[in-house]
Amino acid sequence: MFLKLLCLLAPVYLSSASITLSGNPGPLQVSTATAGHQPDSVKDDSTDYDLNFKDLEKKTNGNIHGALSAPLPKHTDLKVTFEAPEGASSSTVSLTTTPQVLVSNIKRKKFKNLQITYEFSANVEAGVIPLSPKILILTITAN
């Protein structure tokens, strides 16, 4: 089972904030399982991101939202965790085509080398999945 991810930034709604990615994860391939269990998930944490929220208006915090460009194949799940910068919060999110908050309450500051972790899983009902590129669309909003 394969899933290839491509990261693409959507238009940034705050002209004074930016996100820079260090690259894209490689193809995520589920290929092992323990007898009697669902296939093992696969993780990739090779992508970092930088944020520049320094120029936001005083008293304004920001959020990063993420959504996939197209639905995942049936019986699969793609989770992402964005490392939260100092003072912000994040959690692991199962990605869909509906935008969801990935990082919230980001303060007015610059941050570098924050890690992104992807985890792809599929159950046996998924079967063999052809290479299926997806785009993670990121947007920035103000609180």
Side-chain angles (χ1 to χ4, degrees):
M1 293 171 232
F2 292 92
L3 180 72
K4 182 170 173 76
L5 290 174
L6 303 172
C7 292
L8 173 73
L9 293 180
V12 175
Y13 294 115
L14 300 173
S15 62
S16 58
S18 64
I19 303 173
T20 305
L21 300 174
S22 69
N24 292 313
L28 299 174
Q29 178 181 356
V30 173
S31 59
T32 62
T34 304
H37 294 88
Q38 293 292 339
D40 299 328
S41 64
V42 61
K43 288 186 179 184
D44 183 299
D45 61 2
S46 63
T47 305
D48 291 337
Y49 72 106
D50 297 341
L51 291 172
N52 181 1
F53 277 56
K54 192 172 177 97
D55 299 327
L56 287 176
E57 293 177 26
K58 292 179 182 176
K59 300 183 183 179
T60 299
N61 293 333
N63 295 328
I64 299 173
H65 298 259
L68 292 175
S69 58
L72 291 170
K74 289 184 180 184
H75 308 291
T76 65
D77 185 38
L78 178 61
K79 294 179 181 172
V80 67
T81 306
F82 274 58
E83 180 183 350
E86 178 186 336
S89 61
S90 68
S91 61
T92 300
V93 174
S94 287
L95 293 169
T96 67
T97 56
T98 301
Q100 300 173 76
V101 176
L102 304 178
V103 185
S104 61
N105 203 32
I106 301 167
K107 308 292 184 206
R108 247 175 35 92
K109 195 173 172 183
K110 288 184 180 182
F111 303 95
K112 292 195 169 280
N113 300 317
L114 300 167
Q115 188 171 55
I116 302 172
T117 303
Y118 299 94
E119 182 176 8
F120 178 60
S121 61
N123 62 36
V124 294
E125 289 83 15
V128 176
I129 301 170
L131 188 61
S132 179
K134 301 293 179 224
I135 297 170
L136 174 56
I137 302 166
L138 301 174
T139 56
I140 299 171
T141 60
N143 289 2

